[in-house]
């Protein structure tokens, strides 16, 4: 089965730089280039959805200079690339709280979403100030508000309605979650959405991640047996998924 949504925890920028005696920010700069390369590759490979974890709700704990540098790189990226991405059919959607972002960062992100709004080959969700727990909480808050206002019967809250309140509403759950940099954890990424995602961890550091690495991950995905709690398609003689 082919993947339609791939989500990536883009980790290892700092180690990439430190290993070369460079400032961490240089790793982030190279990481931004990798993100551009992989967004284009995802489109070329026919993926309909790509989610890139760019900045977590926990990343605010980093030194102010690193946080500032990261946002400055993101702003430059969106300002320089939005039109080019739109031209090749890539739509940018920012997911995340974004409350704590500067006015200029918010503005550039809104602009990138506006400029790419009509592109329809591939949606690239960029998770900025994103946390899986934040996503679930904001959905719960919205549902609770509607229930308190009498617009919603709490017994009517099912998985479908809940998912429609998440930041990824309307998009399929990720088929595959890739983490670069070798750490075996989700770090508060798409917690609800990745319930049945296949996981793929590679030691390759994000700035070194190439379209060939993405193809390798997709090839591995195509060999997985996704059972979703049922029995294997093979063992019950059903359709091979
Ligand atoms: C990922 O790279 C980028 C962000 C989390 C913003 P890191 O900066 O976490 O790189 P390492 O894990 O320190 O190598
Ligand atoms: C996860 O990486 C977040 C992003 C890639 C944006 P981290 O480097 O923040 O994760 P931990 O701290 O190693 O869990
Ligand atoms: Mg890291």
């Amino acid at each position: 089965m082919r993947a339609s949504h791939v989500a990536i925890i883009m980790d290892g920028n700092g180690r990439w730089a430190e290993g070369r005696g460079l400032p961490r920010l240089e790793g982030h700069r190279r990481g931004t280039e990798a993100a551009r390369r992989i967004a284009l590759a995802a489109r070329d490979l026919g993926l309909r959805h790509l989610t890139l974890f760019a900045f977590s709700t926990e990343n605010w704990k980093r030194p102010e200079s690193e946080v500032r540098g990261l946002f400055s790189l993101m702003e430059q990226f969106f300002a320089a690339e939005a039109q080019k991405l739109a031209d090749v059919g890539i739509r940018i959607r920012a997911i995340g709280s974004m409350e704590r972002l500067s006015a200029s960062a918010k503005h550039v992100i809104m602009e990138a979403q506006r400029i790419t709004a009509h592109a329809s080959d591939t949606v690239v969700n960029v998770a900025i100030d994103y946390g899986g727990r934040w996503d679930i909480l904001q959905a719960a808050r919205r549902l609770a508000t509607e229930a308190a206002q009498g617009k919603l019967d709490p017994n009517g809250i099912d998985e479908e309605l809940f998912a429609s309140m998440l930041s990824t509403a309307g998009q399929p759950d990720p088929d595959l979650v890739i983490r670069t940099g070798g750490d075996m954890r989700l770090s508060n990424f798409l917690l609800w959405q990745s319930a049945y995602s296949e996981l793929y961890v590679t030691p390759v550091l994000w700035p070194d991640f190439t379209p060939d690495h993405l193809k390798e991950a997709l090839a591995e995905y195509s060999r997985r047996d996704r059972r979703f709690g049922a029995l294997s398609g093979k063992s019950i003689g059903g359709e091979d998924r």
Side-chain angles (χ1 to χ4, degrees):
M1 197 174 74
R2 279 168 67 90
S4 85
H5 184 176
V6 172
I8 308 184
I9 302 171
M10 309 186 288
D11 197 24
N13 296 349
R15 276 164 285 168
W16 183 94
E18 281 156 13
R20 287 168 173 73
L22 297 168
R24 288 178 61 84
L25 210 57
E26 182 56 20
H28 293 314
R29 197 181 66 72
R30 296 290 293 260
T32 313
E33 284 171 19
R36 187 175 146 278
R37 192 161 74 219
I38 295 304
L40 295 174
R43 183 211 159 273
D44 292 344
L45 290 165
L47 290 173
R48 300 305 305 269
H49 307 267
L50 174 72
T51 300
L52 299 174
F53 201 5
F55 192 89
S56 75
T57 48
E58 288 72 39
N59 287 146
W60 295 105
K61 294 177 199 163
R62 297 192 179 195
E64 204 208 315
S65 58
E66 180 165 342
V67 172
R68 225 182 313 115
L70 271 164
F71 278 102
S72 154
L73 282 168
M74 280 190 250
E75 284 188 39
Q76 285 169 36
F77 174 80
F78 286 121
E81 302 295 332
Q83 189 57 55
K84 294 181 206 160
L85 294 173
D87 290 345
V88 296
I90 295 176
R91 178 176 186 175
I92 298 287
R93 300 255 310 247
I95 60 170
S97 161
M98 273 166 292
E99 265 170 27
R100 289 180 272 184
L101 267 56
S102 70
S104 77
K106 279 185 209 161
H107 175 74
V108 173
I109 291 167
M110 296 308 282
E111 274 297 289
Q113 294 189 118
R114 189 186 60 76
I115 292 166
T116 63
H118 300 292
S120 58
D121 289 348
T122 301
V123 175
V124 176
N125 300 302
V126 187
I128 303 173
D129 195 8
Y130 180 87
R133 288 182 174 178
W134 162 81
D135 206 357
I136 291 167
L137 273 179
Q138 64 80 27
R141 252 184 239 122
R142 282 164 61 194
L143 290 166
T145 304
E146 289 191 12
Q149 289 168 346
K151 294 182 193 155
L152 173 71
D153 172 5
N155 292 314
I157 302 175
D158 57 12
E159 290 191 10
E160 196 186 338
L161 180 62
F162 200 92
S164 76
M165 295 288 170
L166 293 169
S167 60
T168 48
Q171 303 189 54
D173 287 339
D175 299 300
L176 176 66
V177 173
I178 298 173
R179 182 171 186 140
T180 61
D183 284 310
M184 302 271 184
R185 55 178 172 265
L186 286 173
S187 299
N188 199 13
F189 197 29
L190 302 162
L191 296 181
W192 171 287
Q193 297 90 333
S194 65
Y196 265 104
S197 303
E198 295 297 318
L199 305 179
Y200 181 90
V201 176
T202 169
V204 174
L205 303 172
W206 177 248
D208 290 329
F209 196 78
T210 62
D212 279 341
H213 291 120
L214 176 61
K215 282 186 212 155
E216 220 170 281
L218 288 167
E220 157 78 20
Y221 169 81
S222 70
R223 293 190 289 269
R224 301 270 180 97
D225 181 18
R226 300 187 78 185
R227 291 183 291 278
F228 299 97
L231 299 181
S232 163
K234 288 165 196 142
S235 60
I236 54 174
E239 214 192 327
D240 187 7
R241 351 202 264 160

